[in-house]
Amino acid sequence: MAFEDEKRAPGDRIRFILHLGDFIYDEVWYPEERPKGFLGRKLRDIVRFPDGAFIDNTHVPVSTADYRALYRAYLDDPDLQDARARWPFVCVWDNHEFSSPAWQTASDYAPPGSGAQARKVAAAQAWFEYVPARVIKGAPNSARTPLSRFSAPAVKNAPLTDFDKFGFSHEPNNVAALECLTIYRSLRCGQNVKLVITDNRTYRSEPAAFAMDDDMGSPAALFFTPAELINTYDAGRNDPGGAPQKISFNGKSYSNKRSEIPTGSMLGKPQKDWFFAEIARPQTMWTFWGNSVGALERRSDLHNLPPDLRQFWLGRGYGIAGNEDWGGYPYERAEILNFLHMNRVTNFVSLAGDRHQFFAGVLSANLPPEKFEPVAVEFGVSSISTPTLFEAADYITRNAKSLRPLYAHDSGGDSAPAINMTLKHGVRSSIILNKTGNLNLAIEASNPEVAPHLTFTDSANHGYIVIKASSDDLLVDLVAFSKPVAASAHPYGDQPEYRVAFRVPAWAPNAAPHVELHSTEGRVPIGSI
C-alpha cells in the first residue's frame, strides 16, 4: 500500500486510514501449547501476558498490563510502524480490543449474566494509550473537547441488571465502565466527505443469537442460522405478528425466552439519537459510515438444498450468516435504512469490517421475496492477516463431505472458495459446480432472489480498499492478497492476487444507488461476481 502510494501523484495519495476494529486480538495461544498452529497457520511467540487467565484453552488478558502487552506486540511490526508514521489512522474498536464476543461489559470469559467491568476499563485505558484518537469521556457534548488524559473509574465486577427498553444495563459499574471512554464521533474530510463513526459493541443489547437454546438443534450448515429464528428472537415482545410464547423448530416446541424482552439494539438509545441527527444533515456530497460490523446481508437459499441434503438444514427458508453483526439485529438495521428513505438521505455509504471477507453491494431494509428497495451502499474489507471466512470453513469442513460443496470446491488437490458462490448465487450453483466443475453451468443455475443486493464477495483473500470521493462519484479499488503465512521476500511486499475497481455514481433522492463493477485484474475467485 505504501509502495503504490509513493507512485501516485501528490493529489491522489491516501489522506488517512480508516481502521474498523480488531486492532489486537484478545485471545492468545502460546506456540508450545499448539504445535500444529491455528487453521494451518504457524503460531509465533510475540506476546506473553504478565497476569492473564487461561480459559477454554486460551490465554486472555485480565489487566491493563496485559492489554498493554498486546498492543506493544502488535506495534513491534515494522510495516505497521511505517504505516502509522506515513498516514493518520482513524480508528474504532470492535470486540477483540476487549473480549470475544462482547456486549456492554459482558465477556465470553465470564459466567453468563455477570459483568467484566474491571477488564472493560483496563481495555479502554490501553486502547486510549496506544490508539491516537479524538475521543471524549461520558456522553457526547456540543464542544467535543478531546480527552487528553484517561482517568480509570473504580469499578467492580457485578451482574448486569436494571435493563432499559433498549437492552442497556444501568447497573452502576456497567455505566461507569462504559462511560470512561466515548469513541463514537464524526469528522469532516475535505469538501466531499463526512465520516460518521459508531461504536457497535459498547451499548448493544445481548445478541438475539445468545438467547437461543443450545438444545434447539442448531442446523448442521456451518455459519448459517434460520432467518425466521433470528427475526423472532431479535423482535422480542415487539414482533410485528405478536411475540409467540412458543417457537416450533425441528419438530419440537420451545419457550420463547425473549417474548417479554424489547427488540435488540446495537447502538443504544443515546448513540442512535446522535447518529440519526448526524446523518440527517449530510453537509457534504457523501456521508461515510465507519461501521465496524457489516450491514449488508449475507444469506443463502438453504431451503433449496436437494432432498439428499435437506436433513442438514432445519430452517424453513433462508439462512443468515452472521449473528453478531447487523444480521443479528435485523430490526434496528431496517430502522436505520428506513430512516434514510424517509428523510431522503442520499449518497450514504457504509464502510464495514469484522467479517474477514470482501463484499460490495447495496443496502435495503428487505430482500426478496419482500420488497427490495436499496437506499445505501456498503463496502466491506477483509482482514489484513487473520484467517478469512473461507480459511475457517475450508479447515472445518474437510471431513464434512456432504455439505463441503457449499463452502469449498476441490479440484486437482486444491480447494477454492465455493462459499462465494453459495452467498452470491445459491446452493444449487455450488452443488452443480462441485459435480461438473463447469462454472458456466453453475452460474446458469443462479437463484436471482438470493443476492440482488450483492455485487461482489470474496471470502478467501486479504487486503485493503482505497476510496476516492468526488462530487460526481466514488472510485473504489479493492486490492487482494493471498494469505500471508511468511514475510515477503520482496522489499515492497508481495504482488496482489487480484484487483477490482468499482464506481458508485452519486444519486438523487428519487433514484436508487448502485455499485458498478468497473474492471478486474488478476485471478478473481470463482463465484465472486
Side-chain angles (χ1 to χ4, degrees):
M1 185 162 59
F3 173 64
E4 294 196 342
D5 201 44
E6 281 286 350
K7 297 186 293 183
R8 295 187 179 100
D12 291 332
R13 288 177 181 161
I14 294 171
R15 304 295 180 88
F16 68 93
I17 304 294
L18 175 63
H19 193 287
L20 292 164
D22 292 342
F23 194 91
I24 59 170
Y25 274 76
D26 60 301
E27 301 161 311
V28 174
W29 298 284
Y30 296 162
E32 69 272 14
E33 296 166 352
R34 296 185 67 139
K36 294 184 179 180
F38 174 70
L39 296 180
R41 303 287 195 93
K42 177 182 178 181
L43 293 178
R44 293 174 171 82
D45 195 6
I46 66 167
V47 62
R48 301 273 170 157
F49 291 132
D51 300 313
F54 190 63
I55 303 173
D56 295 336
N57 295 315
T58 303
H59 295 271
V60 296
V62 298
S63 66
T64 306
D66 290 340
Y67 285 103
R68 286 170 174 162
L70 271 173
Y71 282 101
R72 285 196 297 268
Y74 279 74
L75 290 168
D76 269 346
D77 183 271
D79 293 324
L80 183 53
Q81 291 175 10
D82 287 348
R84 296 228 302 186
R86 180 177 180 85
W87 300 293
F89 275 55
V90 176
C91 295
V92 65
W93 57 44
D94 196 42
N95 56 325
H96 285 285
E97 284 88 350
F98 165 44
S99 179
S100 172
W103 57 280
Q104 298 178 45
T105 59
S107 165
D108 195 40
Y109 303 116
S114 64
Q117 289 90 337
R119 281 186 56 203
K120 178 66 175 177
V121 171
Q125 179 165 353
W127 188 91
F128 179 81
E129 292 172 349
Y130 287 92
V131 179
R134 292 185 174 92
V135 293
I136 66 171
K137 179 180 179 179
N141 55 44
S142 56
R144 295 294 297 173
T145 303
L147 184 64
S148 59
R149 183 183 296 273
F150 185 87
S151 177
V155 297
K156 63 180 181 180
N157 297 332
L160 302 188
T161 57
D162 191 18
F163 290 94
D164 63 22
K165 64 179 182 179
F166 295 94
F168 182 81
S169 169
H170 289 273
E171 189 281 320
N173 294 280
N174 188 60
V175 174
L178 299 183
E179 287 191 349
C180 72
L181 197 59
T182 301
I183 69 170
Y184 60 88
R185 59 207 189 274
S186 64
L187 305 168
R188 180 73 175 265
C189 310
Q191 66 184 95
N192 289 321
V193 172
K194 178 179 181 179
L195 175 61
V196 182
I197 305 169
T198 56
D199 179 349
N200 295 339
R201 294 287 177 175
T202 298
Y203 312 100
R204 63 164 61 189
S205 59
E206 182 181 21
F210 289 8
M212 296 181 187
D213 287 342
D214 292 336
D215 62 353
M216 192 170 267
S218 180
L222 181 66
F223 301 128
F224 290 100
T225 302
E228 65 267 21
L229 288 184
I230 287 290
N231 290 338
T232 297
Y233 273 91
D234 180 56
R237 69 186 182 209
N238 298 320
D239 193 306
Q245 296 300 309
K246 297 286 185 178
I247 297 175
S248 297
F249 184 69
N250 191 26
K252 299 179 182 179
S253 180
Y254 301 90
S255 296
N256 181 4
K257 294 181 178 180
R258 292 177 64 91
S259 63
E260 302 301 325
I261 294 177
T263 301
S265 174
M266 186 180 289
L267 300 181
K269 181 64 162 60
Q271 181 180 205
K272 185 159 59 177
D273 288 346
W274 168 86
F275 181 59
F276 281 168
E278 288 291 326
I279 65 178
R281 51 175 193 273
Q283 300 171 332
T284 57
M285 175 57 70
W286 299 96
T287 300
F288 287 172
W289 178 15
N291 181 17
S292 65
V293 297
L296 191 146
E297 195 159 314
R298 297 178 298 171
R299 67 175 192 168
S300 194
D301 54 347
L302 281 88
H303 55 291
N304 285 333
L305 283 169
D308 60 320
L309 296 178
R310 191 65 183 83
Q311 71 271 21
F312 291 104
W313 180 246
L314 306 176
R316 296 190 299 272
Y318 284 97
I320 303 298
N323 297 331
E324 278 195 82
D325 60 19
W326 284 103
Y329 294 81
Y331 283 92
E332 186 164 81
R333 175 178 59 190
E335 180 186 1
I336 293 169
L337 298 177
N338 287 329
F339 179 89
L340 296 175
H341 176 71
M342 295 299 295
N343 288 273
R344 297 168 62 84
V345 176
T346 61
N347 305 317
F348 184 89
V349 182
S350 169
L351 304 175
D354 182 61
R355 290 176 173 174
H356 304 198
Q357 175 187 23
F358 287 115
F359 50 94
V362 293
L363 296 172
S364 170
N366 299 295
L367 294 177
E370 298 180 65
K371 188 176 182 181
F372 177 51
E373 195 171 30
V375 296
V377 165
E378 181 164 276
F379 289 95
V381 69
S382 187
S383 60
I384 289 291
S385 57
T386 308
T388 59
L389 175 65
F390 170 65
E391 285 181 69
D394 181 36
Y395 192 86
I396 294 170
T397 62
R398 287 177 182 175
N399 297 320
K401 300 300 182 184
S402 297
L403 287 181
R404 184 164 170 81
L406 302 187
Y407 306 98
H409 174 58
D410 299 311
S411 176
D414 294 326
S415 58
I419 183 67
N420 299 334
M421 183 78 71
T422 301
L423 295 173
K424 185 81 169 65
H425 299 282
V427 298
R428 289 171 178 158
S429 292
S430 293
I431 291 170
I432 288 174
L433 178 67
N434 177 68
K435 289 181 176 180
T436 68
N438 190 314
L439 182 59
N440 291 330
L441 286 179
I443 298 298
E444 286 177 8
S446 178
N447 178 356
E449 283 198 349
V450 168
H453 60 307
L454 189 60
T455 302
F456 179 88
T457 184
D458 172 17
S459 306
N461 291 288
H462 305 261
Y464 60 91
I465 291 174
V466 179
I467 299 177
K468 183 177 181 180
S470 74
S471 58
D472 299 319
D473 57 18
L474 297 180
L475 300 179
V476 181
D477 291 322
L478 185 159
V479 186
F481 299 82
S482 57
K483 63 180 181 181
V485 294
S488 173
H490 194 285
Y492 301 112
D494 291 331
Q495 292 299 302
E497 188 79 5
Y498 71 86
R499 301 170 186 268
V500 179
F502 304 94
R503 177 177 177 267
V504 180
W507 67 92
N510 295 323
H514 64 281
V515 177
E516 299 174 356
L517 183 63
H518 199 260
S519 65
T520 65
E521 176 186 326
R523 297 190 303 169
V524 177
I526 58 172
S528 293
I529 299 172

